[in-house]
Amino acid sequence: MEVASVEAIPLRRDLGERFANAQKWIDSREYCLVRVEADDGTVGWGECWGPTAGNRELVEEYVSPWLRGRDPRNVEQIHDDLVYKLRSSYHSYVPASVVSGVDIALWDLYGKAVGQPVSALVGGRRRDQVRAYATGHFWGDVEDFETLRADVVEEAEGHVAAGFDALKNKIGLSRIFGWGPEKDVELVRAIREAVGDDVRLMTDANHAYDVADARRVAEGLAELDVHFFEEPVPPRNIENYAAINEEVEVPLAGGECWAFQHEFDRVLDAGAVGYVQPDVTSAGGITSTRRVATMADAANVQCHPHVFGSAVALAASLQMLATIPGDPMLEFDRTPNPIREDLAVEPITNEGNSVPIPDSPGLGIEIDRDVLAEFRADA
Ligand SMILES: [Mg+2]
């Protein structure tokens, strides 16, 4: 079996209403999918994290000529060879999103070639469904904090009404609105008061704080029984994570901005987080995410993968979640998004507080060609 073609497919959808997290306004959702076809016609799909610019050129102009002719079933070797090749080409900077998109597509292709779900190929399934937490609670264009708080609380109540018993919201309002960290804690308190003590609450600062504010906010969150405090400080400051994680009561979480086993090795070795969150589209695909999950298990740290992509990323994450030791949760993006909701012919949806994990070959989804055509940015 040989790789016959490698294609990057940019998808884009402009949002009717933009929303913000601690770092930026988001006014569109865009994805760079990777489509790999073998000489027998078997097709695998992958997804790169981030904007299509950069990912698309690297997949089509750099990876494609190199990958064609190789046996797609040798996925781990291809993953490692690609990392070494990119490292030498780009002065130690390895575009992990590119490795991820290609790696996911190859695992999907391999699974389809042998008629097995990817989860069966990377260790076997520990579960057929997984507890999901509703992620969302972004911020709209509002004039005052009271309006934002009311909007976020209303959204949280909607998720609980839909059956979720675990939620994650966004904090770090300062850069976008100029409101200080006390408002961040007030926002989480409002959610806690609205949904009660039985709902698991997580909160995500998208690395908004300096060390002092991170500690101050963590103390407030501990009083609200927050399950984890995600990305309090910039990802480069692994030593800050380690110090804060040691000092504060609420466990830290992070991982969406880290990649490959060597970086996660530093994170885990430092005791930087209580929960580790590799993203299959940015950490180095299924190959690296699986390695990170194994390393985390050895360090006695639960892996809860980060997920914020299209149906391809969601399906790949579910295949990983089937295999991860312990009690992992699915990060289930609840922002309205047809590229997540409709791109798979059989949509991936929650049943109460959990999501079933597909068990058909590869990633377990079939791409809807009409939806793909509708959102193609290069059409
Ligand atoms: Mg996050």
Side-chain angles (χ1 to χ4, degrees):
M1 190 178 218
E2 288 186 2
V3 171
S5 70
V6 183
E7 190 183 356
I9 299 177
L11 301 182
R12 181 187 167 92
R13 174 176 171 264
D14 292 319
L15 297 177
E17 289 179 28
R18 66 178 188 165
F19 58 78
N21 64 23
Q23 299 299 341
K24 62 183 180 184
W25 286 101
I26 298 169
D27 56 15
S28 71
R29 300 294 298 271
E30 66 175 74
Y31 309 94
C32 183
L33 300 188
V34 178
R35 182 184 185 278
V36 178
E37 184 166 344
D39 54 354
D40 69 351
T42 311
V43 171
W45 291 90
E47 179 175 331
C48 308
W49 176 260
T52 56
N55 284 317
R56 181 181 175 185
E57 292 81 357
L58 280 167
V59 168
E60 295 219 319
E61 297 171 27
Y62 185 94
V63 176
S64 176
W66 170 80
L67 190 56
R68 285 198 303 267
R70 291 186 69 146
D71 187 331
R73 295 168 295 188
N74 295 330
V75 190
E76 295 222 10
Q77 187 185 29
I78 292 171
H79 169 285
D80 292 347
D81 286 353
L82 185 55
V83 170
Y84 300 143
K85 180 177 158 63
L86 285 162
R87 184 178 293 144
S88 63
S89 294
Y90 290 91
H91 273 274
S92 295
Y93 168 69
V94 182
S97 55
V98 170
V99 178
S100 302
V102 172
D103 182 86
I104 295 166
L106 291 173
W107 278 109
D108 185 32
L109 195 162
Y110 183 17
K112 287 170 177 165
V114 297
Q116 293 288 329
V118 169
S119 45
L121 302 180
V122 295
R125 291 163 74 93
R126 296 172 189 263
R127 58 191 65 81
D128 293 316
Q129 58 180 38
V130 63
R131 183 176 180 182
Y133 68 88
T135 207
H137 310 94
F138 290 87
W139 316 319
D141 276 299
V142 293
E143 295 291 321
D144 55 76
F145 176 74
E146 288 69 28
T147 305
L148 181 139
R149 184 179 59 194
D151 289 348
V152 169
V153 165
E154 185 183 358
E155 182 185 337
E157 289 171 331
H159 296 317
V160 173
F164 292 98
D165 59 5
L167 311 175
K168 188 171 80 185
N169 81 299
K170 295 292 189 183
I171 56 171
L173 293 157
S174 175
R175 187 183 301 275
I176 298 291
F177 293 109
W179 302 328
E182 67 282 355
K183 289 289 188 233
D184 295 326
V185 176
E186 195 178 329
L187 183 61
V188 180
R189 183 178 297 114
I191 300 171
R192 173 57 83 203
E193 287 172 357
V195 302
D197 293 338
D198 294 336
V199 171
R200 181 181 281 187
L201 282 191
M202 282 80 62
T203 194
D204 182 1
N206 289 97
H207 37 93
Y209 302 122
D210 58 27
V211 174
D213 276 344
R215 286 199 181 98
R216 203 167 282 132
V217 169
E219 285 168 13
L221 297 178
E223 292 172 13
L224 300 169
D225 190 25
V226 167
H227 191 69
F228 64 63
F229 180 12
E230 181 172 323
E231 290 202 306
V233 294
R236 67 175 178 275
N237 300 117
I238 291 173
E239 68 287 355
N240 292 165
Y241 276 83
I244 298 166
N245 197 45
E246 170 79 20
E247 290 165 22
V248 302
E249 198 177 320
V250 55
L252 302 191
E256 66 187 84
C257 293
W258 295 319
F260 302 121
Q261 60 198 15
H262 50 273
E263 194 160 38
F264 281 95
D265 182 51
R266 287 175 55 216
V267 167
L268 292 165
D269 193 47
V273 291
Y275 299 99
V276 71
Q277 301 170 297
D279 187 308
V280 72
T281 67
S282 63
I286 284 166
T287 298
S288 276
T289 302
R290 177 193 175 205
R291 292 174 184 172
V292 170
T294 303
M295 289 160 54
D297 186 47
N300 208 17
V301 169
Q302 179 65 55
C303 178
H304 295 304
H306 173 261
V307 190
F308 196 64
S310 84
V312 175
L314 180 56
S317 301
L318 282 168
Q319 290 302 311
M320 294 311 307
L321 280 156
T323 71
I324 291 172
D327 195 14
M329 293 184 289
L330 167 67
E331 175 165 19
F332 201 35
D333 173 20
R334 299 287 73 209
T335 60
N337 178 2
I339 304 178
R340 186 195 64 244
E341 294 162 351
D342 303 332
L343 185 61
V345 172
E346 292 281 331
I348 293 168
T349 53
N350 66 299
E351 294 176 0
N353 71 348
S354 68
V355 170
I357 301 172
D359 62 359
S360 45
L363 300 181
I365 58 167
E366 185 187 340
I367 299 294
D368 187 314
R369 303 206 160 274
D370 294 335
V371 175
L372 190 76
E374 182 181 349
F375 293 106
R376 275 193 85 133
D378 58 349

